[in-house]
């Protein structure tokens, strides 16, 4: 009699634990990925990088407007860095998907949010899976100018910018946990594209800005862009590497079992 009661308790405990595990995998993680943190740059850092992440393939979808085709060298460098730090299988899809007339010539402040929502609904082919499988990174190359303002949304976006006498130009922005824009027309030198792309990837992985001249997370575009009088800039010197501290952080994220912040 005592033995069968014990058996019943063991069975019920097992079923309860199984239900908890299943609800974590099938409800908590998908809910987190799709709603709670999806709008926060860096929110998916360990889902991309941790070896304990339920996602085992990273799909990178790049959609561009006519004339804004990404530099294959920059795309190859992006893929290499993602493979290096995530140790996951990376699949690239690059498409000229977005039409000339789908994007306004100037986007200001919060309009970035409505514009990107509309463009993602129309063109994004690879959303992140609900139950593991693939996590995706969505990159748009747009022929427009974004001028952030002081609104809370715009000022919280980690944008990479430079300033002329009349305007602020954004060259890249990470506007969600899994989404980047490259404003290709604002890149004054071809060699900066790899730097900007890897910089925004750093934001996706939760890295902050630095002021080190050889760090790809340096946010002072003028370091690369402004040319002192009588000096030719050395355009081979754009940084394409993270700092030693950031590399350590990325390696720690790869080992971290904390794939969700509330665990
Ligand atoms: Zn930045």
């Amino acid at each position: 009699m005592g033995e069968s009661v014990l058996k019943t308790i063991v069975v019920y405990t097992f079923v309860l634990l199984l239900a908890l595990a299943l609800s974590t995998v099938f409800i908590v993680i998908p809910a987190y990925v799709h709603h709670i943190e999806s709008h926060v740059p860096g929110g998916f850092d360990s889902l991309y990088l941790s070896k304990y992440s339920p996602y085992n393939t990273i799909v990178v979808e790049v959609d561009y407007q006519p004339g804004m085709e990404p530099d294959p060298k920059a795309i190859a460098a992006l893929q290499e860095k993602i493979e290096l730090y995530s140790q996951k299988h990376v699949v690239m899809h690059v498409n000229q998907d977005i039409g000339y007339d789908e994007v306004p010539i100037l986007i200001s402040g919060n309009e970035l949010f409505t514009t990107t929502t509309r463009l993602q609904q129309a063109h994004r082919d690879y959303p992140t899976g609900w139950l593991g499988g693939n996590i995706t990174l969505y990159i748009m190359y747009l022929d427009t100018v974004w001028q952030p303002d002081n609104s809370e949304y715009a000022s919280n976006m980690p944008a990479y910018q430079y300033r002329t006498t009349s305007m602020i130009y954004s060259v890249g922005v990470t506007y969600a946990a899994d989404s980047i824009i490259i404003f290709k027309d604002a890149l004054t030198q071809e060699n900066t594209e790899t730097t900007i792309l890897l910089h925004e990837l750093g934001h996706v992985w939760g890295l902050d800005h630095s002021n080190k001249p050889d760090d790809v997370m340096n946010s002072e575009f003028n370091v690369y862009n402004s040319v002192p009088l009588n000096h030719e800039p050395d355009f081979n010197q754009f940084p394409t590497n993270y700092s030693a501290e950031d590399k350590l952080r990325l390696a720690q994220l790869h080992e971290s079992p904390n794939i969700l912040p509330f665990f």
Side-chain angles (χ1 to χ4, degrees):
M1 192 66 181
E3 199 181 310
S4 78
V5 168
L6 192 64
K7 255 188 197 165
T8 307
I9 290 171
V10 168
V11 168
Y12 273 91
T13 307
F14 177 75
V15 168
L16 186 68
L17 288 175
L18 188 68
L20 272 175
L22 288 175
S23 68
T24 301
V25 171
F26 290 100
I27 299 169
V28 178
I29 291 175
Y32 168 78
V33 167
H34 291 271
H35 298 287
I36 300 166
E37 284 289 321
S38 62
H39 60 289
V40 179
F44 292 174
D45 53 358
S46 46
L47 287 170
Y48 285 112
L49 295 173
S50 171
K51 62 184 180 187
Y52 301 102
S53 162
Y55 298 100
N56 44 40
T57 297
I58 298 176
V59 175
V60 180
E61 179 179 355
V62 185
D63 288 343
Y64 61 94
Q65 284 187 282
M68 298 295 111
E69 185 167 2
D71 177 3
K73 286 196 303 267
I75 295 296
L78 178 79
Q79 181 173 3
E80 187 196 312
K81 282 283 188 286
I82 297 174
E83 285 169 346
L84 177 67
Y85 291 105
S86 71
Q87 302 284 310
K88 294 184 199 305
H89 185 51
V90 179
V91 180
M92 309 293 292
H93 295 281
V94 182
N95 312 296
Q96 192 266 290
D97 232 13
I98 306 174
Y100 271 120
D101 50 3
E102 287 187 64
V103 184
I105 54 167
L106 178 72
I107 301 171
S108 45
N110 287 353
E111 284 167 23
L112 186 75
F113 180 73
T114 47
T115 304
T116 53
T117 302
R118 178 170 54 77
L119 291 172
Q120 288 219 20
Q121 280 166 357
H123 298 290
R124 186 167 179 167
D125 297 322
Y126 299 94
T128 292
W130 280 89
L131 304 171
N134 299 342
I135 188 167
T136 66
L137 174 61
Y138 186 62
I139 305 174
M140 290 189 281
Y141 272 67
L142 299 184
D143 187 6
T144 184
V145 173
W146 178 48
Q147 293 201 282
D149 57 19
N150 293 327
S151 64
E152 202 191 339
Y153 171 80
S155 59
N156 279 331
M157 292 298 113
Y160 201 144
Q161 298 157 357
Y162 67 94
R163 189 184 295 266
T164 66
T165 45
S166 57
M167 271 179 100
I168 296 172
Y169 290 91
S170 297
V171 289
V173 63
T174 304
Y175 61 93
D178 62 355
S179 310
I180 293 169
I181 299 173
I182 304 297
F183 301 94
K184 176 135 179 163
D185 219 28
L187 301 178
T188 50
Q189 298 293 328
E190 200 181 317
N191 292 3
T192 54
E193 187 172 330
T194 301
T195 298
I196 304 301
L197 205 48
L198 296 180
H199 177 99
E200 300 306 331
L201 179 67
H203 285 311
V204 169
W205 289 343
L207 302 182
D208 294 327
H209 286 153
S210 86
N211 54 12
K212 302 183 189 105
D214 57 346
D215 180 0
V216 78
M217 295 314 292
N218 191 314
S219 63
E220 310 244 330
F221 192 79
N222 286 341
V223 169
Y224 321 119
N225 194 50
S226 66
V227 184
L229 287 174
N230 307 320
H231 284 83
E232 278 300 310
D234 182 354
F235 287 124
N236 294 317
Q237 294 297 308
F238 296 113
T240 54
N241 253 313
Y242 301 105
S243 67
E245 290 151 35
D246 285 346
K247 284 178 182 171
L248 189 65
R249 183 187 143 83
L250 297 176
Q252 283 167 344
L253 281 169
H254 180 63
E255 296 298 324
S256 173
N258 301 317
I259 55 168
L260 302 177
F262 43 81
F263 284 169

